[in-house]
Amino acid sequence: MSQDRHLILDNCIKCNICVANCPVVKVTDQYAGPKQNGPDLERFRLDEPAAVHPSIGYCSNCKTCDFVCPSGVNVATMNCKAKGEYVALNGAPLRDQVLGRVELICKAAQIAPSIVNWAAGVGPFRAMGEAFFGVAAGMPFPRFASKTFLQQFKPKKIAKPKGKVLYYPGCYVNYYTPEVGLALAKVFAHNGIEMVVDDFNCCGLPTVSNGLMDAAKAYGVNNLAKLNRYINEGYAVITTCPSCNLMLRQEYHELFDMDTALVTENTYDAFEYLVLLHEKGQLDTNLKRLPRRYGYHQPCHLRAVGYGVPSQEILRLIPDLQVAALDAGCCGLSGSYGFKKEKYPIAHEIGQNIVRAVADTGVKQAVTECGMCQLQVNHVTGLPVVHPIQLLAEAYGL
């Protein structure tokens, strides 16, 4: 056990601010809370891994506890490790093992995506899935694209590039919303940035959230090896998914003690990279008018990484575009969390913050970086939701 982990643990002053701000604790008493499952029981787990409260499965891994902690305690990391220890001791239900392996689900669905989409929308099938496997019938599945992003992407050679980047699309963009990755490619090419892609594993966040730590670690080992190779060749790594960004830059190190120094230093959110271009005077600001008003939802994992909200800095450059912050906290879905029968009501109740924020702001459409947040915002409000890079591509006339 490292000395650093002891020091971080001892920084907990029992203020309970993590409990007061936990979105799950606010709507259910089935979760003992981030402090009890985290710092309180972590002291016992230093010597006895079995010191895990059964309610740890109700942690949604939104990382609000990390964000609000005044002492810098990695509460969410302790909870993730505790969930992994609980699963190692007690096993995971088949449902969680399947939902946690998003990459395998997506690859299997590519055999016949249209049939999978159809089946996922048939009420009796969903009812059986809930009854026999515990997958919530009320939560709509995202729809698979007919062709993946990697199948559609065509690299564009830039004569004198201002920079070269490797895009890590993540599972959601690659399999569900390839239009987001294609919009990014157009924006980068328009600004003289050469973009390449490669075939990566899932970042591992869904496996971590379901306590499948060995699978997540294996993904991390493979991804880091490939990312480091590109970085050593002069590429910056770009993401459009905050959760993937969090895993690459932070979670591999915090959860598995992997050496991520090179990746952390050279990985950027797409808009974080565009802000840097703008600061250097290298970003094209000749943008057409978009006379619309959107409600912006900040994903929890974007907040957790701690690089601000760069998409809003860039969107402010678009003439006549109005973006109102919903400021509603966690959307509640938290990846596979809201797809589970016993947790769907919790996720839906947390999501009512979004409903109230939309009513207060009066917006008729929304924008957010996270694919799962897009799904949940649309589910609870009925509003169309886009990724901010799509708005920027449209403003460029691409």
Side-chain angles (χ1 to χ4, degrees):
M1 188 62 58
S2 70
Q3 183 181 11
D4 287 344
R5 187 175 173 190
H6 281 295
L7 290 173
I8 293 171
L9 176 60
D10 289 341
N11 283 346
C12 178
I13 58 174
K14 310 292 184 185
C15 68
N16 276 321
I17 193 171
C18 59
V19 179
N21 284 274
C22 175
V24 176
V25 169
K26 287 180 180 180
V27 301
T28 182
D29 59 1
Q30 296 183 78
Y31 180 39
K35 184 173 74 69
Q36 179 173 334
N37 280 287
D40 286 357
L41 285 175
E42 184 74 7
R43 291 175 167 82
F44 296 96
R45 287 194 293 268
L46 295 175
D47 299 312
E48 179 50 64
V52 183
H53 195 277
S55 76
I56 188 61
Y58 279 88
C59 170
S60 68
N61 194 27
C62 70
K63 302 199 177 293
T64 298
C65 48
D66 281 359
F67 181 76
V68 301
C69 178
S71 303
V73 180
N74 295 340
V75 182
T77 301
M78 295 177 191
N79 277 279
C80 284
K81 289 184 175 181
K83 188 181 293 185
E85 289 170 0
Y86 184 84
V87 168
L89 290 166
N90 300 282
L94 177 62
R95 176 201 63 189
D96 292 8
Q97 294 183 44
V98 173
L99 289 177
R101 290 176 168 85
V102 172
E103 179 182 325
L104 295 181
I105 294 174
C106 292
K107 286 182 176 178
Q110 286 309 299
I111 297 172
S114 59
I115 295 176
V116 174
N117 289 335
W118 170 79
V122 175
F125 290 171
R126 294 302 304 272
M128 286 190 291
E130 180 168 296
F132 295 105
F133 296 102
V135 177
M139 187 64 217
F141 287 120
R143 294 181 62 81
F144 288 101
S146 57
K147 290 186 178 180
T148 68
F149 165 73
L150 291 179
Q151 289 171 336
Q152 296 184 57
F153 174 74
K154 291 179 174 56
K156 185 173 182 179
K157 190 68 177 176
I158 309 294
K160 294 182 179 180
K162 300 173 186 175
K164 56 181 188 176
V165 300
L166 167 70
Y167 177 43
Y168 181 95
C171 298
Y172 204 90
V173 167
N174 190 36
Y175 293 102
Y176 298 109
T177 57
E179 61 272 17
V180 171
L182 296 172
L184 176 71
K186 292 176 182 177
V187 167
F188 274 178
H190 181 77
N191 282 283
I193 303 298
E194 191 171 293
M195 185 176 110
V196 300
V197 299
D198 206 331
D199 190 12
F200 287 93
N201 283 124
C202 171
C203 70
L205 186 67
T207 44
V208 167
S209 297
N210 285 280
L212 308 173
M213 306 304 276
D214 288 343
K217 185 175 182 179
Y219 287 152
V221 169
N222 292 340
N223 287 333
L224 285 179
K226 190 172 290 187
L227 290 169
N228 283 332
R229 187 168 70 249
Y230 275 96
I231 292 170
N232 286 326
E233 293 174 4
Y235 288 88
V237 178
I238 301 297
T239 66
T240 48
C241 171
S243 297
C244 293
N245 192 290
L246 178 71
M247 283 298 295
L248 302 182
R249 289 169 91 161
Q250 184 174 313
E251 298 290 85
Y252 288 160
H253 175 67
E254 290 189 356
L255 292 172
F256 308 116
D257 201 27
M258 296 179 181
D259 182 4
T260 60
L262 196 60
V263 169
T264 299
E265 185 179 347
N266 293 279
T267 298
Y268 304 88
D269 170 82
F271 280 95
E272 186 183 13
Y273 190 86
L274 291 171
V275 167
L276 293 175
L277 280 183
H278 184 48
E279 291 173 349
K280 296 175 184 176
Q282 298 178 343
L283 182 73
D284 180 12
T285 55
N286 183 24
L287 299 158
K288 72 176 186 178
R289 295 172 59 251
L290 290 184
R292 299 179 213 148
R293 187 166 182 263
Y294 287 83
Y296 172 71
H297 170 69
Q298 183 181 14
C300 293
H301 291 167
L302 176 66
R303 189 171 61 166
V305 178
Y307 49 69
V309 192
S311 66
Q312 300 313 287
E313 295 184 47
I314 299 299
L315 293 185
R316 278 195 286 268
L317 300 175
I318 301 175
D320 294 341
L321 178 66
Q322 298 180 48
V323 181
L326 294 178
D327 196 23
C330 181
C331 75
L333 186 59
S334 299
S336 63
Y337 188 90
F339 287 92
K340 299 175 182 180
K341 176 183 177 180
E342 73 280 10
K343 298 183 176 75
Y344 173 73
I346 296 171
H348 196 72
E349 182 61 30
I350 294 171
Q352 297 311 298
N353 292 329
I354 305 285
V355 176
R356 288 186 282 270
V358 165
D360 290 343
T361 56
V363 296
K364 302 301 181 185
Q365 46 205 343
V367 58
T368 186
E369 292 88 346
C370 174
M372 281 300 190
C373 290
Q374 292 166 17
L375 187 70
Q376 175 76 333
V377 172
N378 174 259
H379 174 54
V380 298
T381 69
L383 298 185
V385 191
V386 297
H387 192 287
I389 199 68
Q390 293 172 279
L391 294 180
L392 184 58
E394 185 180 354
Y396 276 133
L398 302 177

